[in-house]
Structures are given as structure tokens and as C-alpha cells.
Amino acid sequence: MTPFFRSLAVIGPGLIGSSVLRRARETGTIAETLIAADTSSRVLERVRELDIADVTTADLAKAAQADCVMICVPVGAVEQVAGQLLPHMKPGSILTDVASVRGQLGPKITAILPENVAYVPGHPMAGTEHSGPDAGFSTLFEDRWALLVPPEGADQNAITTIEKLWTLCGARTKILTDDEHDRICAMVSHLPHLLAFTICDTADNLSDELRAAVLDYAASGFRDFTRIAASDPVMWRDIFLANREALLGTLDRFVADTQAMADAIRKGDEAGIISRIERGRAIRRTLIENRQA
Amino acid sequence: MTPFFRSLAVIGPGLIGSSVLRRARETGTIAETLIAADTSSRVLERVRELDIADVTTADLAKAAQADCVMICVPVGAVEQVAGQLLPHMKPGSILTDVASVRGQLGPKITAILPENVAYVPGHPMAGTEHSGPDAGFSTLFEDRWALLVPPEGADQNAITTIEKLWTLCGARTKILTDDEHDRICAMVSHLPHLLAFTICDTADNLSDELRAAVLDYAASGFRDFTRIAASDPVMWRDIFLANREALLGTLDRFVADTQAMADAIRKGDEAGIISRIERGRAIRRTLIENRQA
Ligand SMILES: NC(=O)c1ccc[n+]([C@@H]2O[C@H](COP(=O)([O-])OP(=O)(O)OC[C@H]3O[C@@H](n4cnc5c(N)ncnc54)[C@H](OP(=O)(O)O)[C@@H]3O)[C@@H](O)[C@H]2O)c1
Ligand SMILES: NC(=O)c1ccc[n+]([C@@H]2O[C@H](COP(=O)([O-])OP(=O)(O)OC[C@H]3O[C@@H](n4cnc5c(N)ncnc54)[C@H](OP(=O)(O)O)[C@@H]3O)[C@@H](O)[C@H]2O)c1
């Protein structure tokens, strides 16, 4: 089978980017030539050692020559990197990115798009708390969703191409608007991370003695919360800021629900406590049925 | 090697109780005779099928004849069950319970203790979201903490005996006051559960469309929170009510920390966001070093 693209360039071969490269390397179905570009020579060196690209380069203009160029750098750097790539991209080629938050990214990049270059970003709902080229693995996207957020009027062929790319990575795809995307992510990802960081913060603020005890006895609950709190601070700062509006709105609703539960506990409202807990269990059951748990 | 007790009675062979019985059965080091008592004939039937006790009975007076009597019923029923057992216990025997919240339980049971019967409760910091005799397993307590909370003036030999019992179950032991115990558990277990239930509740309150999306895309964060939200509602209602004071105090601090993080996000205070996230990572690293993660 001929690979899907002649060439695919991954800009920023970290957790996400190197997972795409590994997948492409392992299956041989994605691209004939794999290009990895990064500003860091250490990252490129590591990519060569891992042997997950045919070409490594620090020159974005060179990487921009690929049929498909995939920006996998942190959210805060996507716009700037797109600005460096776009003037060098070939007619008929496609730019995509994997940024976890959309915000104004879509309109901003669309505004600087050359003619005959398509832009179809997609966010893979998969990840771990690790980062860098060593953190990736080829099955990261398997059975996960890739949420495509094509700007209005994006070329239909380019959309189909990026759908196919993610399917080749093992993912299922869905098309959403930027706004839908950001509100969903605030609930399923950004709020949980914010709470995980905060519960660790609350524990950290305890008296030394209690803090030591919390660390000793972390099994049963606390531990599950801290796993995702190990994630990269800069990445999460950028995400929180980029999705500030949807996140703070979701957080407000969460705090109101928390206060309602606290009131039920304070008043000894047994039925109120139970009904809140039951709602949580219902969600959990549906997740298990959806094979997401 | 002679087993440690001649007889051990487990009242309420559910998740915790049946795990103790399984451990005793498998190792043969804990008791010569294993007694399981429960109000439910279905539970006793299941214990016989699983063959994890030598004697099964619905008669608490009979179970009370054991050298060591371990109450493993839900928190809300411990005091009443103790009241039924104590008049029938032998001089020199020991009563223990595994209740997850201490509150006023210690003083209340101490007040009705016959002479020559010791009371040394201990809370194993181990569990799953499942319950009942089928949920138990013999390694549940391995490398976990059992927090002993002997009432003031409790017999030192009895304390040593219960320490040894938990050691034979694979656990490490620590002695705490009721108050220390309850504040620590509010932080490491009760608050995480309250938040997990609430985040599911918040998700459940979304519009149908968004709610469906949340269920589809639950990977990356949300899922980790919901695992513990599958726990038994009645048990958690009882725990929240029994530990209401410590729990609401801890929750207040958590909500304040959440609001501080929200403020930092609202104002775009990059350094403030990072420092809060960093504190969470520090806790996580210590957990990994302590082999609790
Ligand atoms: N992690 C997740 O869970 C997850 C999930 C879905 C989507 N995403 C999205 O995926 C993207 C990357 O995340 P990741 O977790 O893969 O991060 P990562 O492992 O840190 O990888 C990012 C890579 O980009 C490089 N880089 C940074 N700035 C650059 C620039 N200006 N030009 C070229 N390369 C640059 C980094 O090199 P240095 O290390 O030298 O800076 C690193 O190799 C983000 O947009 C994120 O929102 C992440
Ligand atoms: N689950 C955890 O994570 C965990 C961790 C540490 C400690 N604990 C503590 O362990 C205790 C038991 O929890 P668990 O999770 O093992 O619960 P579980 O699996 O529901 O088991 C409780 C057992 O007690 C029986 N029971 C209820 N009321 C009774 C009564 N009045 N007299 C006799 N038997 C009665 C139940 O029978 P029916 O099913 O017929 O009611 C069931 O067999 C609680 O005090 C809890 O705080 C739990």
C-alpha cells in the first residue's frame, strides 16, 4: 500500500508529535517521508536516536515543504510557529495543529493563510502527564477521539484528509466548532486538572505534621487526584489562560454544586446527599457502558 | 505455627470483612476458627459458597464468643452492633472495628464496655469502589496503613494484639487520636470523594448535548475523577455526616484555594498559576518517593 502522504512534517516532536511519528514509522501507512522539526537541538538529537523520522531539521522553512504540516508545539507557541511556516508552504498542502484549546487560534491562523493552503486543526483527546520525545508511544491515540475544528469554509477535501490521518493513528474523529470544543474540554479536562492542582495545593498548605500524614496515607482517593496533577505547569498555565472563559464558567457551576453538597451535609439532609451521589454514579455507569472508563 | 487467635469473628463480611477472612484463610496464621456473622442470610450463604469462614451465623451473641470480634459493618451501624455484641463477650477478649470515621464512636463504645473486655478500633486505609463479600481479596491491605485509634487508657496488650492482627493482614500500623484521624481522612479521602461526586453532578447538570459529549470524551482527566465516584452512596452519606466538621473545614480551605486559582486565571497572573501548579507537583513527587502513587 502506498503511504497516505508523500511527506508529513511534525513540528515539535514531544509527547503528541513523537507519538504520531512512532505510529507512522510502525505502520508505514501514513507517509513516505517523515520530517521532524524543533527549535531544540537536544530534541532533534533524541528523535534521531529513537529513529522515528527520516529527516530532522531546525529549519521551519524546510519542514514547511511537506504535504502535511502538523504543529505539535505548546498551545502558546502555535500561532507564532504557524506564522513562520505558512509563507513557505506549498500550494495544495495542509496545515494542522493539535492544540488542546482553540480560543481565537482558528480565526487568527485563517487570517494569515496563503491561497491554496488549507488549515484543519484537530485535538486528539489523549495524553499522559509526561512530555518530550521519550514520552510518546504509537498506540496513544487508539480508540481515542480526535476533535477536528475546521474554520468556517475550510476545504472539504482537506477535512477528509485530516480525518483519515487520525483514523490511521487509531483515533475516531468528530467535527466541532471552536466554541463547542472549548466548553467540552473545560468540563472533561481543564476543570479536573484545575481541581487536581488545587487539592494538592490545599494539602501542601496544611501544618507540617498533617501534611506528612496526608503523604503517608494517600491511598484511597487523594492519590487518584494527584496523578493528573503531575502534568507540565507551563502547558497547563497556557491552557487555563487560553480557555479562561469556558473554564471559569464551568468552575463557577462546580463550586455552586459543591456548596449545595456542603449545605446538605451541614443540615444532615440525607436524601439530598444520596441523590447527589447517585447522579455521580449514573455518569460513571454510562462511562463504563461507553468503554471510556 | 499456631494461629495468632483461637477464634476471630468478623461481623459484616463485606469488602473489608471478607478480605480479612480471605487473608486468614489463605495464610492460616491469623485464627484457628473463623466466624462470620451477618444479619443478611444472602451474605452468609455467599460466605459459605466462598468457603472463607468455618462458622457462619446470624446470631451476634454466638459470634461474640470469639477471642477477637471485628465489626466490619457500615459506619452508621457500628455503635448499635457493638451494643448487641458487648454483653456477650468473654473476659479477656478484644472488640475492634474498621469504621472509616471515628467521630464520637470511641467514647460511646468505651462507655458501654464490660470489664475485662478491651476495645481497640483500627481503620485500614484500603478499599475499592465495590462492596459485599464478593468484592474482597486477601491482598487488599498489603503495604497499606491501618490507623489504630485506641481510646485513652486502652489496654496496651490489646493494642499490641490489634497491631499484630493488621501486620498479619499485610498492613503497616500507626496510632492516632480520633481527632487526628478524622482530620487526616477528611483531606486524603473524604474531600476527594466529595469532589468526585460533585464533578459528576456538575457534568450531569449540563445540557443534554454537552453531557453526551462529556461522556464521549471522558479520557484525559474526567475519567480519573469518576473512578472513586462509583462508591456506595449510603456508605459515603454516613461518612460525610459522621465526619461533617473536619470535612466541611477542609472543604472551606479547598474552595478558598480554588477561588485563588480562579482569580489568578482571571487576572492572567502567570507566575501565580505556575506556583500553584508547582506545589501540586511537589506533593505528587513526594508520593512517588513514598511509594504511595
Ligand atoms: N499532553 C497532552 O495531554 C496533550 C493532549 C492533546 C493535545 N496536546 C497538545 O499537543 C501540543 C504539544 O503538547 P505535548 O504534550 O506533546 O508537549 P511536549 O511533549 O512538551 O512537546 C512539545 C514540543 O514542542 C517543542 N517546541 C516548543 N516550542 C517550540 C517552538 N517555538 N518551535 C518549535 N518547537 C517548539 C518542544 O521542544 P522543547 O522541549 O525544547 O521546548 C517539544 O519538543 C500542545 O499544543 C498541546 O495542547 C497535548
Ligand atoms: N470500602 C472502603 O473503602 C473502606 C475502607 C476502610 C474501612 N471501611 C469501613 O469498613 C466497614 C465496612 O465497609 P465495607 O466497604 O466492607 O462495606 P460492605 O462491603 O457493604 O460490607 C458491610 C457488611 O455489613 C453487613 N451489615 C450491614 N448492617 C449490618 C448489621 N446491622 N449487622 C450485621 N451486619 C450488617 C452488610 O450486609 P448487607 O449487605 O446485607 O447490608 C455487609 O455484609 C465500614 O465501617 C467502613 O467505614 C471501608
Side-chain angles (χ1 to χ4, degrees):
Chain A
M1 197 174 102
T2 325
F4 188 56
F5 294 116
R6 247 166 328 167
S7 52
L8 169 71
V10 166
I11 320 299
L15 167 65
I16 300 296
S18 80
S19 294
V20 172
L21 290 172
R22 281 179 171 86
R23 181 86 187 184
R25 209 35 147 197
E26 262 184 47
T27 62
T29 54
I30 295 176
E32 226 165 272
T33 304
L34 294 170
I35 302 155
D38 206 288
T39 40
S40 151
S41 56
R42 194 182 37 77
V43 168
L44 293 177
E45 173 69 31
R46 196 63 198 125
V47 167
R48 282 190 294 274
E49 283 163 14
L50 292 166
D51 189 26
I52 51 178
D54 304 299
V55 178
T56 58
T57 178
D59 180 2
L60 290 188
K62 186 172 165 193
Q65 295 302 307
D67 290 350
C68 178
V69 180
M70 191 172 202
I71 303 179
C72 299
V73 305
V75 173
V78 173
E79 189 185 348
Q80 187 220 325
V81 169
Q84 293 173 262
L85 290 163
L86 282 170
H88 307 283
M89 286 185 65
K90 293 188 306 190
S93 66
I94 306 177
L95 179 70
T96 183
D97 72 58
V98 297
S100 305
V101 180
R102 306 314 313 168
Q104 290 309 305
L105 215 46
K108 279 180 181 162
I109 293 179
T110 308
I112 55 170
L113 212 58
E115 241 184 300
N116 287 320
V117 173
Y119 173 55
V120 180
H123 169 208
M125 300 287 278
T128 71
E129 64 274 31
H130 305 294
S131 57
D134 283 291
F137 48 99
S138 65
T139 54
L140 177 61
F141 311 113
E142 236 158 54
D143 290 326
R144 298 299 179 197
W145 289 96
L147 305 182
L148 303 200
V149 279
E152 242 179 279
D155 179 60
Q156 187 54 51
N157 285 333
I159 297 176
T160 309
T161 301
I162 298 300
E163 282 183 321
K164 174 82 181 180
L165 168 59
W166 283 111
T167 308
L168 289 170
C169 285
R172 297 175 278 180
T173 61
K174 195 89 136 197
I175 294 180
L176 298 173
T177 67
D178 286 351
D179 183 59
E180 286 168 335
H181 172 277
D182 284 356
R183 283 194 300 152
I184 290 166
C185 290
M187 185 72 229
V188 300
S189 171
H190 309 162
L191 178 65
H193 276 85
L194 187 154
L195 298 179
F197 292 131
T198 305
I199 200 170
C200 287
D201 187 17
T202 304
D204 197 63
N205 288 336
L206 293 172
S207 68
D208 285 354
E209 200 186 340
L210 266 179
R211 186 179 177 283
V214 165
L215 291 169
D216 274 347
Y217 314 131
S220 334
F222 187 73
R223 208 177 31 158
D224 288 330
F225 273 61
T226 63
R227 200 181 66 77
I228 61 176
S231 307
D232 183 56
V234 173
M235 173 173 121
W236 281 98
R237 178 202 62 196
D238 290 348
I239 290 177
F240 290 163
L241 289 174
N243 201 23
R244 144 178 10 193
E245 212 177 305
L247 175 59
L248 293 177
T250 308
L251 178 62
D252 277 351
R253 282 197 301 282
F254 173 78
V255 169
D257 290 336
T258 305
Q259 302 293 22
M261 177 66 116
D263 278 349
I265 294 171
R266 197 172 291 112
K267 291 184 197 138
D269 170 10
E270 302 202 342
I273 300 170
I274 290 275
S275 82
R276 279 163 196 286
I277 295 179
E278 287 289 4
R279 285 207 285 270
R281 281 158 61 87
I283 288 262
R284 175 71 191 167
R285 264 194 303 275
T286 317
L287 280 183
I288 289 170
E289 282 156 21
N290 288 9
R291 293 178 302 115
Q292 288 277 325
Chain B
M1 195 176 102
T2 327
F4 188 55
F5 294 115
R6 248 167 327 170
S7 52
L8 169 71
V10 165
I11 320 299
L15 167 65
I16 301 296
S18 80
S19 293
V20 171
L21 290 172
R22 281 179 171 86
R23 181 86 186 185
R25 211 31 151 204
E26 263 183 46
T27 62
T29 55
I30 294 176
E32 227 166 271
T33 304
L34 294 171
I35 302 156
D38 206 290
T39 39
S40 150
S41 57
R42 194 182 39 75
V43 169
L44 293 178
E45 174 68 30
R46 196 63 198 125
V47 167
R48 281 190 294 273
E49 282 163 14
L50 293 166
D51 189 25
I52 52 177
D54 304 299
V55 178
T56 57
T57 178
D59 180 3
L60 290 190
K62 188 174 163 190
Q65 295 302 306
D67 290 352
C68 179
V69 180
M70 192 172 201
I71 303 179
C72 298
V73 304
V75 174
V78 173
E79 189 185 348
Q80 187 220 326
V81 168
Q84 292 172 265
L85 289 163
L86 282 171
H88 306 284
M89 284 184 69
K90 292 188 308 189
S93 66
I94 305 178
L95 180 70
T96 184
D97 73 58
V98 298
S100 304
V101 180
R102 307 314 313 168
Q104 290 309 305
L105 216 46
K108 278 181 182 160
I109 293 180
T110 307
I112 55 170
L113 212 56
E115 241 183 303
N116 287 319
V117 174
Y119 174 55
V120 180
H123 169 207
M125 300 286 279
T128 72
E129 64 273 31
H130 305 294
S131 57
D134 283 292
F137 48 99
S138 65
T139 53
L140 177 61
F141 311 112
E142 237 158 54
D143 290 325
R144 298 299 179 195
W145 288 96
L147 305 181
L148 304 198
V149 279
E152 242 179 279
D155 179 61
Q156 187 53 54
N157 286 331
I159 296 175
T160 309
T161 300
I162 298 300
E163 282 182 322
K164 174 81 183 183
L165 167 60
W166 283 111
T167 308
L168 289 170
C169 286
R172 296 174 279 179
T173 61
K174 196 86 133 199
I175 294 180
L176 297 173
T177 66
D178 286 350
D179 184 57
E180 287 169 337
H181 172 276
D182 285 356
R183 283 194 301 152
I184 290 167
C185 290
M187 185 71 228
V188 300
S189 171
H190 309 163
L191 178 66
H193 276 85
L194 187 153
L195 298 178
F197 293 130
T198 305
I199 200 169
C200 288
D201 187 17
T202 303
D204 197 63
N205 289 335
L206 294 171
S207 70
D208 284 354
E209 200 186 339
L210 266 179
R211 186 178 177 283
V214 165
L215 291 170
D216 274 348
Y217 315 131
S220 332
F222 188 72
R223 207 178 31 159
D224 288 330
F225 273 62
T226 63
R227 202 182 64 77
I228 61 175
S231 306
D232 183 56
V234 172
M235 174 173 120
W236 281 98
R237 179 201 62 196
D238 289 347
I239 289 176
F240 290 164
L241 289 174
N243 202 21
R244 146 181 1 199
E245 212 177 306
L247 175 58
L248 294 175
T250 308
L251 178 61
D252 277 350
R253 282 198 301 282
F254 173 79
V255 170
D257 290 336
T258 306
Q259 302 293 22
M261 176 66 114
D263 277 350
I265 294 172
R266 195 171 292 115
K267 290 183 199 142
D269 169 9
E270 302 202 343
I273 300 171
I274 290 275
S275 82
R276 280 163 197 286
I277 296 180
E278 287 290 2
R279 285 208 284 272
R281 281 160 61 86
I283 287 263
R284 175 70 191 168
R285 265 194 301 276
T286 317
L287 280 183
I288 290 169
E289 283 156 19
N290 288 8
R291 292 178 303 114
Q292 290 276 323

